[in-house]
Amino acid sequence: MSNPFSYEDKRVVVTGGATGVGAGLLDVLAEQGAAHVTVLDVKEPNGPHQTFLQTDLSDRAAVDAAIAAIDGPVHALFNNAGVADTMPPQTVISVNYLALRKLSEGLLERIPEGGAIVNTASIAGGQWPQRLEMINEVLDLGGDWDVTLAWLDAHDIGTAPYFFSKELVQVYTMRSSRPTMAHGVRTNSVCPSPIDTPLLKDFRATMTDKIIDWNIEQGNGRAVTPREVGLVLAFLGSDAAAYVNGVNLLVDAGFTAAMTTGQVDFAAIS
């Protein structure tokens, strides 16, 4: 009997594979027999991989060069890299949204039917309905790097750049899932709550310890681990998720469900 979770004979691309969720994903992919893994990052990963392309994902030219250097086919693209608001707003939007979109669209023709694009979003993007008109305005710019950054400079987005970037990713995941499915390629995202990675200290610096700790307490009392997120990413990229498309999958121990149904204690952060 075949294993639908297996990555045997599959070629995979992972962004942000050096640390955190990306490093956890590399271990999971190796356990599932991935035939070839290419990592795009500024720092070479220690985890299992075959090819490393040193890539500054905030630099459009570097992303274009990586796309040109990647050998096909690409059975699964994991757009996992991300930065926090400790970085400049244009860097946040570039890494978290523009590079993700450029890679997805630039590699689509190299993804065979049955393949997948999986984006790492966040529960921080869950307020997208409040800004949907603005988000669609940005998405309608077509991912043009310079035009999008100029738009960002000229508008008050009403939230932190990191939150807006993840709102863009959630809506882009939904919007792009139909045209990618026309190529036989599924597009989904994972939306984790705070993750126990080195980046968590940056979120504590920008969102405060109080907010982060409250979010964790109102989940199940601990941060999600990189491996736990990596397992869900790997599932969405595998044949086991063959009929899953256009989904922003929550990985938050029920925090969003509790908040939606009025079971979260907001008094704890007052």
Side-chain angles (χ1 to χ4, degrees), residues 5-31:
F5 297 93
S6 173
Y7 279 79
E8 290 184 15
D9 301 323
K10 291 188 176 183
R11 299 175 65 87
V12 177
V13 172
V14 177
T15 70
T19 59
V21 169
L25 176 61
L26 294 187
D27 289 338
V28 173
L29 292 172
E31 291 165 10

Side-chain angles (χ1 to χ4, degrees), residues 33 140 174 224:
D140 287 342
M174 292 185 288
V224 61

Side-chain angles (χ1 to χ4, degrees), residues 96-97 100-101 105 119-122 124-140 163-179 187-191 246-248:
N96 294 3
Y97 162 64
L100 175 152
R101 180 166 183 170
E105 296 175 4
N119 302 320
T120 300
S122 168
Q127 299 305 307
W128 62 261
Q130 297 180 9
R131 276 174 287 276
L132 184 56
E133 183 176 351
M134 181 181 292
I135 290 166
N136 279 327
E137 183 178 339
V138 175
L139 295 181
D140 287 342
F163 282 68
F164 191 62
S165 73
K166 295 304 185 178
E167 292 171 358
L168 286 168
V169 171
Q170 287 203 32
V171 180
Y172 177 68
T173 295
M174 292 185 288
R175 279 186 39 160
S176 64
S177 64
R178 188 170 181 85
T187 298
N188 297 287
S189 88
V190 297
C191 302
V247 170
N248 293 307

